[in-house]
């Protein structure tokens, strides 16, 4: 999508102009000049037909000028608008533009501003929100003859500094497009997005942005002693991959932040087999890997001053004569032994070896992200990401990033009693499934046993990685959860550094 800033409203050319409609619209900067497009009818329409309700949309024809239609989006009281209100409004706009098959649109930026939301803020939110709102997964149907129409250009109409507005819009566009790429990965079926295919995608990403890239296959994992990843892979005909991407902001690559993602491309549950209702949708069990790769795309585009290493363990979890079983004891890369009580608790196993590997790469801070447990959905619902941490300051910075992106994160406790239950085994150092109660805490806490004293945050996106129905910022399917917050966290750490 081409972004351009335009200060001359008279020569604006677009198929549709997007206008934020708030109560007392006459107070909007430039409103009187704008209303001339409607030959005096706009005041009548705002009193009778147009809705000020948040995200309510109405399309009207303009009666003069080169833009034939205006899409009004309700903002309610503009003085009380938050950035999240504006972001979701633009998400709704994106959906309307997609439905109307618009190729060239424009946004009247002044109508989305208030004392706390500048033109630069509005530009960022417009590019990000519209970008996510116009997302559509290109499916595999062969019967459709419908023309493929995408939004090709977005003009931002404002009197503010064009360069500043353009720069902010570009960042918003990068964030939106990266979320959409993560969504597509989550939406792909497991027979097409294998561990090898995911590694190939990461390899291309590395080549695009100059990341140092290592893709480790089964033989290398065996040589290193990554027994936890290999155990999960035992039942599969597809080889596992450990994907490593290094973003070097400094020549020495010191003190990198590690982003660790769970990349289970399909999860049957293994011998702890999922029921038929639970197994459908398990192509999305690599949502953590998708979030990390989406964040790395943003990092590659924006080049923050912070070293980052991405580590993703990818395999499927299948059933066969070779598959690992309950009661097995395996040895992880760290040397810690694990008693397997549940083969469907496989995500924490691949994360264990990945976190250990990240520490060996010199990571001084670790964030792991995974579609780990159904327990987080029971505890928090489908719209909240659950978190655990061992470092208050690190988590405080992370929450600042989450608040900026509008992604809801809620921290759960991890107590010494919880840790004792994870360590309770007659035959090994740890067990991988202490019980159904507190499931999210035990799943994340297990990973924390491998982070040890390294500042660490665990994010369980089992509820937020997939949407069962259309939502404010996109359609049903993969959401790209945590892509923006992970990238924003890197920016925050760069600023602190």
């Amino acid at each position: 999508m081409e972004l351009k800033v335009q200060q001359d409203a008279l020569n604006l050319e677009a198929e549709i102009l997007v206008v934020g409609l708030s109560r007392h619209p006459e107070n909007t900067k430039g409103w009187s000049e704008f209303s001339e497009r409607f030959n005096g009818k706009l005041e009548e329409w705002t009193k009778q037909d147009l809705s000020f309700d948040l995200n309510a949309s109405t399309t009207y024809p303009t009666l003069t000028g080169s833009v034939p239609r205006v899409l009004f989006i309700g903002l309610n009281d503009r003085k009380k608008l938050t950035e999240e209100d504006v972001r979701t409004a633009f998400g709704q706009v994106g959906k309307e533009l997609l439905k109307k098959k618009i190729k060239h649109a424009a946004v009247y930026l002044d109508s989305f501003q208030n004392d706390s939301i500048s033109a630069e803020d509005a530009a960022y939110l417009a590019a990000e929100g519209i970008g996510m709102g116009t997302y559509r997964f290109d499916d595999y149907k062969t019967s459709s003859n419908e023309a493929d129409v995408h939004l090709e250009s977005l003009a931002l109409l404002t009197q503010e500094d064009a360069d500043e507005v353009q720069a902010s819009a570009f960042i918003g566009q990068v964030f939106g497009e990266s979320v959409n790429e993560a969504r597509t990965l989550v939406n792909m079926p497991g027979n097409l997005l294998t561990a090898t295919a995911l590694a190939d995608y990461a390899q291309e990403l590395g080549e695009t942005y100059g990341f140092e890239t290592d893709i480790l296959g089964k033989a290398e994992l065996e040589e290193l002693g990554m027994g936890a990843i290999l155990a999960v892979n035992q039942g599969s005909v597809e080889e596992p991959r450990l994907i490593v991407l290094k973003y070097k902001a400094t020549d020495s690559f010191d003190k990198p932040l590690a982003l660790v993602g769970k990349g289970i491309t399909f999860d049957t549950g293994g011998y702890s087999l999922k029921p038929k209702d639970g197994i459908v949708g398990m192509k999305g069990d690599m949502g953590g890997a998708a979030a990390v790769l989406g964040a790395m795309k943003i990092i590659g585009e924006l080049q923050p001053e912070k070293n980052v290493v991405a580590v993703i363990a990818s395999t499927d979890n299948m059933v066969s004569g070779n598959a690992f079983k309950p009661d097995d004891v395996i040895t992880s890369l760290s040397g810690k032994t694990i008693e397997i009580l549940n083969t469907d608790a496989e995500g924490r196993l691949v994360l264990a070896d990945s976190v250990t590997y990240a520490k060996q790469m010199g990571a001084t801070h670790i964030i792991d992200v995974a579609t780990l447990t159904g327990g987080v959905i029971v505890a928090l619902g489908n719209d909240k990401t659950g978190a655990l941490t061992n470092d208050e300051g690190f988590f405080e910075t992370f929450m600042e990033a989450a608040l900026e992106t509008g992604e809801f994160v809620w921290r759960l406790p991890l107590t010494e009693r919880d840790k004792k239950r994870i360590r309770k085994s007659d035959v090994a150092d740890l067990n991988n499934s202490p019980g159904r109660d507190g499931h999210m805490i035990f799943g994340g806490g297990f990973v924390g046993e491998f982070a040890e004293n390294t500042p660490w945050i665990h994010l369980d996106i089992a509820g937020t990685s997939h949407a069962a129905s259309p939502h404010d910022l996109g359609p049903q399917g993969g959401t790209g959860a945590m892509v923006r917050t992970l990238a924003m966290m890197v920016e925050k750490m760069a600023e602190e550094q």
Side-chain angles (χ1 to χ4, degrees):
M1 178 176 68
E2 178 189 2
L3 287 170
K4 52 188 176 182
V5 178
Q6 188 158 338
Q7 296 178 320
D8 182 6
L10 293 177
N11 294 320
L12 180 67
E13 291 187 5
E15 296 170 62
I16 199 165
L17 176 63
V18 179
V19 177
L21 186 66
S22 53
R23 300 186 186 280
H24 305 295
E26 65 276 4
N27 296 329
T28 303
K29 184 178 178 181
W31 186 263
S32 59
E33 291 84 356
F34 170 73
S35 65
E36 292 175 5
R37 293 175 176 269
F38 300 92
N39 291 347
K41 295 183 178 292
L42 184 56
E43 183 177 354
E44 176 186 338
W45 291 342
T46 55
K47 290 180 178 179
Q48 297 180 6
D49 300 326
L50 295 174
S51 174
F52 299 103
D53 292 344
L54 193 63
N55 294 347
S57 62
T58 313
T59 303
Y60 266 95
T62 56
L63 304 178
T64 60
S66 57
V67 181
R69 289 180 287 176
V70 172
L71 171 61
F72 292 99
I73 186 78
L75 301 178
N76 210 330
D77 186 345
R78 190 151 52 93
K79 291 182 180 180
K80 296 179 181 179
L81 271 182
T82 66
E83 289 193 2
E84 187 59 20
D85 290 334
V86 176
R87 180 183 285 114
T88 57
F90 279 125
Q92 181 65 30
V93 167
K95 292 182 179 185
E96 288 294 322
L97 298 180
L98 182 64
K99 189 191 317 182
K100 298 178 189 302
K101 299 181 181 179
I102 299 296
K103 292 183 179 180
H104 306 285
V107 174
Y108 179 22
L109 273 190
D110 290 338
S111 63
F112 292 91
Q113 296 172 228
N114 60 20
D115 290 342
S116 61
I117 301 174
S118 66
E120 290 85 354
D121 296 330
Y124 170 92
L125 295 166
E128 182 186 68
I130 291 174
M132 290 191 286
T134 54
Y135 173 77
R136 180 177 59 189
F137 178 61
D138 293 329
D139 58 37
Y140 306 100
K141 295 179 181 179
T142 59
S143 58
S144 176
N145 293 318
E146 188 176 347
D148 191 16
V149 177
H150 296 282
L151 184 63
E152 297 177 7
S153 69
L154 183 66
L156 303 172
L157 188 61
T158 181
Q159 295 300 312
E160 303 299 326
D161 185 278
D163 291 339
E164 294 290 337
V165 171
Q166 184 80 41
S168 293
F170 170 73
I171 296 172
Q173 182 180 24
V174 168
F175 271 64
E177 288 179 349
S178 300
V179 166
N180 289 345
E181 286 207 22
R183 289 171 168 177
T184 294
L185 290 173
V186 172
N187 289 333
M188 290 179 67
N191 64 319
L192 298 181
L193 188 68
T194 61
T196 300
L198 188 64
D200 290 344
Y201 173 87
Q203 182 80 49
E204 292 176 8
L205 195 69
E207 291 172 359
T208 299
Y209 296 111
F211 300 146
E212 185 177 309
T213 306
D214 290 318
I215 307 295
L216 280 62
K218 185 175 182 179
E220 290 126 316
L221 300 185
E222 290 173 340
E223 185 177 347
L224 288 170
M226 289 193 166
I229 297 172
L230 290 165
V232 177
N233 179 252
Q234 277 178 211
S236 179
V237 297
E238 295 283 346
E239 283 206 358
R241 293 290 184 267
L242 186 77
I243 300 163
V244 183
L245 300 174
K246 289 183 184 177
Y247 166 70
K248 294 185 175 182
T250 63
D251 293 336
S252 59
F253 197 64
D254 58 334
K255 300 180 179 179
L257 166 67
L259 302 179
V260 177
K262 172 187 172 184
I264 302 297
T265 57
F266 193 86
D267 181 19
T268 66
Y271 275 105
S272 304
L273 191 67
K274 293 178 183 290
K276 65 177 182 178
D277 292 336
I279 204 168
V280 175
M282 284 298 104
K283 65 181 182 180
D285 208 19
M286 36 59 64
V292 169
L293 291 170
M296 291 302 291
K297 177 178 171 62
I298 296 174
I299 291 164
E301 287 281 355
L302 303 184
Q303 302 281 303
E305 292 294 321
K306 176 64 185 174
N307 292 321
V308 180
V309 57
V311 182
I312 295 167
S314 186
T315 177
D316 48 11
N317 182 24
M318 306 298 284
V319 180
S320 78
N322 293 325
F324 77 135
K325 312 171 296 299
D327 292 335
D328 284 359
V329 175
I330 64 175
T331 303
S332 67
L333 175 63
S334 71
K336 294 179 180 179
T337 56
I338 304 165
E339 180 184 10
I340 304 301
L341 300 181
N342 181 359
T343 62
D344 195 22
E346 87 298 331
R348 64 201 69 178
L349 299 177
V350 303
L351 289 173
D353 275 357
S354 300
V355 164
T356 300
Y357 191 83
K359 289 173 64 178
Q360 292 179 356
M361 299 290 288
T364 58
H365 294 76
I366 298 170
I367 302 175
D368 79 81
V369 55
T371 50
L372 204 67
T373 66
V376 74
I377 300 173
V378 174
L380 301 177
N382 286 294
D383 60 341
K384 304 171 192 71
T385 292
L388 299 176
T389 189
N390 64 2
D391 190 285
E392 297 292 337
F394 186 36
F395 190 72
E396 185 177 331
T397 302
F398 177 82
M399 284 305 299
E400 291 175 4
L403 287 170
E404 284 199 31
T405 61
E407 295 194 274
F408 195 104
V409 177
W410 192 259
R411 178 184 173 184
L412 281 78
L414 177 61
T415 67
E416 288 304 315
R417 182 174 293 182
D418 298 328
K419 295 175 185 177
K420 286 180 181 179
R421 286 184 62 178
I422 295 167
R423 296 165 187 164
K424 185 178 180 180
S425 171
D426 293 334
V427 295
D429 299 320
L430 307 169
N431 78 81
N432 81 325
S433 185
R436 291 184 61 83
D437 60 312
H439 192 200
M440 180 266 170
I441 295 171
F442 292 132
F446 180 92
V447 181
E449 291 293 305
F450 297 84
E452 298 178 314
N453 295 323
T454 303
W456 159 77
I457 297 169
H458 166 71
L459 301 172
D460 193 334
I461 59 171
T464 53
S465 180
H466 179 274
S469 58
H471 54 98
D472 288 337
L473 294 173
Q476 175 185 349
T479 63
M482 288 294 110
V483 168
R484 294 178 295 127
T485 299
L486 291 177
M488 188 66 72
M489 179 62 171
V490 175
E491 293 283 354
K492 291 283 183 187
M493 294 183 74
E495 292 171 7
E496 287 185 358
Q497 184 170 289

